[in-house]
Amino acid sequence: MKDLKLKFKSEPIKLGEKKVAPVLKTSSPADAMVAACVTELMNAATSFHKLHLKVTGQGSYAAHKALNSLYDDLPGHADDLAEGYQGAAEVLLKYQEPSARILETVEDAIWYLKDLKDMITNLQKFLPYSEIVNELDNVKSTLNSAKYKLKFLA
């Protein structure tokens, strides 16, 4: 990774009577990208949940169930990504607060799933932690399964 800034506090931190080793702080473009991905996954759960509540017509039951799985699974994936990355990189991520995407149709959801997968694939190229890349593969698997259900079963 380029331009990785490492900073150490000069003195050990005192917690009560215990001394703790200096804390490693990192700031990298990957940190911001992971934070943006976590936020997008959380927002996506909200977007899919809202669409789940308003989908009607032929195939709506299958769409309803597929969207239900998405909004159930995505917050857990977001949490696993955030906690895993923060542990691996030894940083606390800083999150922005963009609005959730508005989805009106199942077709909108399918396009959003493609966008999410592309975002994750691009993020994986920047990550030095194989376990986090693996976690992102799990997210892509969830997205692919939902896309299949929405495209062919709904």
Side-chain angles (χ1 to χ4, degrees):
M1 297 184 120
K2 296 179 181 177
D3 299 320
L4 184 63
K5 297 176 185 175
L6 301 177
K7 298 178 184 177
F8 288 94
K9 292 187 175 192
S10 57
E11 295 294 321
I13 300 171
K14 294 181 182 180
L15 298 175
E17 296 297 311
K18 297 179 182 179
K19 291 185 178 183
V20 179
V23 176
L24 174 65
K25 292 185 177 183
T26 65
S27 176
S28 75
D31 296 350
M33 293 172 69
V34 171
C37 184
V38 168
T39 299
E40 192 65 35
L41 291 173
M42 290 179 181
N43 283 345
T46 299
S47 297
F48 291 126
H49 196 162
K50 289 178 179 178
L51 179 60
H52 153 92
L53 295 171
K54 63 184 174 183
V55 70
T56 61
Q58 186 174 359
S60 62
Y61 182 74
H64 187 79
K65 296 302 281 182
L67 293 166
N68 188 101
S69 292
L70 274 172
Y71 76 73
D72 278 348
D73 293 343
L74 289 179
H77 283 309
D79 196 59
D80 291 344
L81 173 59
E83 290 177 356
Y85 183 82
Q86 289 179 155
E90 299 180 355
V91 298
L92 290 178
L93 297 172
K94 295 178 183 170
Y95 302 97
Q96 302 297 316
E97 297 297 330
S99 299
R101 194 179 292 197
I102 297 170
L103 304 174
E104 297 294 340
T105 66
V106 169
E107 291 76 23
D108 290 346
I110 291 169
W111 281 107
Y112 192 22
L113 289 168
K114 291 175 183 179
D115 288 347
L116 289 168
K117 185 179 173 191
D118 289 345
M119 173 193 66
I120 290 167
T121 299
N122 289 331
L123 173 59
Q124 287 176 307
K125 296 173 188 175
F126 290 92
L127 296 176
Y129 310 109
S130 62
E131 65 275 26
I132 306 305
V133 171
N134 232 13
E135 180 59 42
L136 290 168
D137 280 337
N138 293 334
V139 178
K140 291 193 308 188
S141 182
T142 296
L143 299 175
N144 288 337
S145 178
K147 185 172 58 168
Y148 156 74
K149 292 172 186 173
L150 291 171
K151 190 168 181 129
F152 298 111
L153 303 180

